[in-house]
Amino acid sequence: MRIAVLPGDGIGPEIVPQAVRVLRAVTKDSDAFIFEEGAVGGAGLEVADDPLPPATLDIVLRSDAILFGAVGHPRYDHYPHVKKPGAALRRLRKELGLFANFRPVKLFPELIDASTLKPEVIDGLDLMIVRELNSDIYYGTPRGPVETPTGERAVINTMFYAASEVERIAHVAFDAARRRRRKVCSIDKANVLEASALWREVMSEVGRQYPDVELTHQLVDSAAMSLIRNPRQFDVIVAGNLFGDILSDQASMLTGSIGLLPSASLGGNNKGLYEPIHGSAPDIAGRDVANPIATILSAAMMLRQSFGMEAEALRVENAARAVLAGGIATPDLALPGARIVGTREMGDAIVAALA
Ligand code: IPM
Ligand code: MG
């Protein structure tokens, strides 16, 4: 099994090696995985003047799964859109057809006091965000600068959804709900946006094929409020690319830290891309303080989804949980009474817990 390892920028090169260690430790067979590392994002710009260098794309194309860190640094803020670090991620998602992004938001009971929300609000929290990843305002055209009669600077982005794109993510969400509590909440802004009105219409049409799953619709602003007021009302949340991006950062804080949430991006075949939902966090990079757990849990999702290694996936998840239960935490986790460790030591602890 070939794994493309793309650490990227900022804290990426600190957290990704910890997940690689965990993957090595979880199987007895030392040759089970072949890891091939490539430069991506700002790192790609540095070596090849391209956020997704051809050599990296080659590694990706011959891999069975991709372990991705994070991309982005303020240093590249003035770069043109197609050369920004984030362009690498958008290209990978699109070119590999990874249209379905799973972002599980599950509270480790041990961390109930680490959340900024009251324990009674989040106790038992377990929801799944299914985010559409191949369309929406992320890819819609026209985009970029436009001319205006007065010569004033102006820019356009286009929110676009085709019915077929909504339909395929709808099926993913309803299928996911069937393996859970059989509830789908679809997010849109149908009171304002035509793209959202189509989204809602197609969600309802597909929903009729799943009479055993309850479908509700919520406007994104109201959903943002509900996520904080009563997050346990949600089972599967399905959202377009932009709204899913925003709500998943928000939802992550219910669990105590954005440093905990993994994600899997899947498409037609099983070649998935696995990454933490957080960014490159340049402000804390290079200091050995970043939380590697989101990346390690992403590796667990890889074991499960791409390699069918359910038992190994569970072992990784349980190891992470055991370490937190043992009162060991990274600084992002405001866990009362915990011993605070760095990135590497958190990796050490999880590898030790695996054994
Ligand atoms: C995410 C990130 C990316 C996104 C950025 C880095 C392009 O925020 O995966 O959530 O917006 O999709
Ligand atoms: Mg995001």
Side-chain angles (χ1 to χ4, degrees), residues 103 131 138 245-246 248-249 277:
R103 300 190 156 184
R131 171 187 173 196
Y138 275 55
D245 177 46
I246 298 168
S248 56
D249 269 33
I277 78 150

Side-chain angles (χ1 to χ4, degrees), residues 9-12 15 69-72 249 258 275-282:
D9 309 323
I11 59 173
I15 53 180
V71 288
D249 269 33
I258 195 169
E275 56 170 328
I277 78 150
H278 61 69
S280 56

Side-chain angles (χ1 to χ4, degrees), residues 120-183:
E120 59 267 31
V121 176
I122 51 169
D123 189 17
L125 179 79
D126 178 4
L127 63 88
M128 172 71 83
I129 296 180
V130 175
R131 171 187 173 196
E132 199 288 328
L133 212 51
N134 270 188
S135 188
D136 204 347
I137 199 162
Y138 275 55
Y139 297 94
T141 51
R143 69 184 301 154
V146 285
E147 279 178 28
T148 55
T150 58
E152 188 191 356
R153 281 175 304 160
V155 175
I156 188 169
N157 283 104
T158 303
M159 183 175 274
F160 172 94
Y161 261 115
S164 57
E165 294 169 332
V166 182
E167 208 178 309
R168 64 179 183 176
I169 197 69
H171 283 291
V172 168
F174 284 107
D175 285 336
R178 278 192 169 158
R179 296 189 297 272
R180 300 172 49 94
R181 300 191 304 277
R182 295 179 185 261
K183 282 166 60 172

Side-chain angles (χ1 to χ4, degrees), residues 273-287:
L273 183 150
Y274 301 84
E275 56 170 328
I277 78 150
H278 61 69
S280 56
D283 53 325
I284 60 163
R287 290 169 30 204

Side-chain angles (χ1 to χ4, degrees), residues 222-242:
S222 144
M225 184 266 293
S226 299
L227 259 179
I228 300 301
R229 196 182 57 146
N230 176 17
R232 280 176 308 186
Q233 70 188 269
F234 296 109
D235 180 20
V236 171
I237 292 177
V238 62
N241 210 344
L242 180 65

Side-chain angles (χ1 to χ4, degrees), residues 204-216:
S204 301
E205 285 162 17
V206 174
R208 277 179 225 118
Q209 301 169 40
Y210 297 80
D212 53 318
V213 178
E214 178 198 293
L215 170 66
T216 54

